[in-house]
Structures are given as structure tokens and as C-alpha cells.
Amino acid sequence: MSRTLFDTKVMPVTGKMYRYAVSILNDRETAHDVVQECLMKIWKNRKKLPEVKNIESWTMRITRNQCYDWVKVNRYILETDRDINRDDLARTDSSGADEQLLINDQKMFFDKVVNALPRKHREIFHLREVEGLTYQDIAEILSLSLSEVKVTLHRTRQRIRSTMEKIDSYGLAN
């Protein structure tokens, strides 16, 4: 039985690295490639592992940096792919049932609200709510103070809640 780079027995944080890369890049194939590059960097720097206090934070920081390096080099490709993927999702999401349509609409509006957030807010929200990282880990990954992470996350949650309430009340996405 062969193991892949994403086998959690080989490296437990690869799933988080992948989800984080997808949240930044909005493209699964590119995220897969970027995470593979991250794993190669980690392998090349494996002698530093005993010095690393928090391996999860360290690997997530490598992932973040690698994603933003990729974005700098490939910005046009990413924007074009993102537009194509949104069009495809809009065509395939409807199932015909009223309840499913409502759920799809709510998810679509929620995604729009989250994607409209400033990059730092979106990253903090993803790392906390999706990946379940501690405030301290997020602060280390993003090179922020602990209080800045807490305040930003609080404001982000308020902003999302407020915008979603407006959408529910008026049926509009602002």
C-alpha cells in the first residue's frame, strides 16, 4: 500500500495545510501543488524540526508564505480560474427542491460575505473557525499580537453576523 503526501499517518498537519491553501487560493489543484512544495521545504529543513516549538504553527506559516508567493507570480491565472469556477458552481448547485435552493442561497451569500472580508480578517476567520487553531497559534502564523487576533476575529464575526442578518431581512446581498 503506497502512501500519499496527504496521508495523515505520514504527516498529520497536511490536511490543515491543504484546507488553508484552498482558502487562500480558491483552487484545489493549485493548493495541492503548493502544499507539495511546502512539504518539500519542510523535508529540506527537517534538521530544524527539533528547534521548532510548535510544528503546526510552523507548517501553517510555511503554507501561508508559499501560497502568497504563488499568488504574486500567478495572479492572472488565479483570477481567471476563480471566475470560471464560480460560473460552474452557479450552474450545478440547484437541485430543484425549495429547501435545497434556500440552503444553497444562504451558503452562496455566506461565501460572498466571507470572501468580501479583508484578507487578514478572512485568514483569521478561516484559521479559527475552519481549522480550529488557538488564538496563540494564529498570532504566530500571521505574526500578529494575541490581542489583535482576538479583536479582529470578534469584529469579523460581528461583520458577518450583521451582513447575514441584512440579507435575511431584505433578501439582498450588499
Side-chain angles (χ1 to χ4, degrees):
M1 178 171 139
S2 68
R3 292 186 177 181
T4 67
L5 290 173
F6 293 101
D7 186 346
T8 56
K9 292 178 183 172
V10 174
M11 188 160 191
V13 295
T14 55
K16 285 187 177 185
M17 292 168 65
Y18 175 72
R19 286 188 303 272
Y20 188 37
V22 170
S23 78
I24 293 171
L25 301 170
N26 287 326
D27 182 67
R28 293 180 187 277
E29 290 177 28
T30 303
H32 186 273
D33 293 343
V34 168
V35 170
Q36 284 184 341
E37 290 174 27
C38 293
L39 292 172
M40 288 188 317
K41 280 187 176 186
I42 291 167
W43 179 254
K44 287 177 185 175
N45 292 301
R46 66 188 177 276
K47 292 178 183 175
K48 293 181 182 179
L49 282 174
E51 302 167 14
V52 176
K53 292 179 185 174
N54 186 331
I55 291 178
E56 186 175 76
S57 294
W58 184 66
T59 57
M60 295 298 273
R61 174 172 261 179
I62 290 170
T63 304
R64 178 180 190 265
N65 293 340
Q66 194 68 33
C67 285
Y68 285 118
D69 287 347
W70 189 93
V71 169
K72 286 177 193 172
V73 173
N74 300 289
R75 185 172 303 250
Y76 176 75
I77 293 169
L78 183 63
E79 289 171 359
T80 304
D81 286 350
R82 207 180 284 154
D83 291 340
I84 292 168
N85 289 338
R86 282 190 189 130
D87 292 343
D88 292 343
L89 282 175
R91 273 186 243 120
T92 60
D93 257 0
S94 63
S95 66
D98 289 340
E99 188 174 317
Q100 189 62 42
L101 285 173
L102 180 61
I103 291 169
N104 288 344
D105 285 347
Q106 288 174 338
K107 183 185 179 318
M108 180 187 68
F109 286 131
F110 182 80
D111 290 344
K112 280 185 177 183
V113 170
V114 171
N115 287 330
L117 294 169
R119 182 176 79 185
K120 179 173 79 170
H121 294 237
R122 198 172 51 244
E123 281 187 70
I124 292 172
F125 183 78
H126 177 84
L127 290 171
R128 180 67 181 164
E129 301 301 334
V130 177
E131 301 304 334
L133 297 180
T134 65
Y135 295 115
Q136 186 63 45
D137 288 344
I138 295 168
E140 288 175 23
I141 291 167
L142 301 178
S143 299
L144 300 171
S145 70
L146 185 60
S147 62
E148 187 175 2
V149 169
K150 289 179 179 181
V151 168
T152 302
L153 184 61
H154 177 74
R155 289 180 181 162
T156 300
R157 287 174 178 157
Q158 282 183 322
R159 186 173 179 180
I160 291 170
R161 187 177 304 114
S162 170
T163 306
M164 290 305 292
E165 286 173 357
K166 285 180 186 176
I167 290 169
D168 285 342
S169 296
Y170 301 112
L172 303 171
N174 294 333

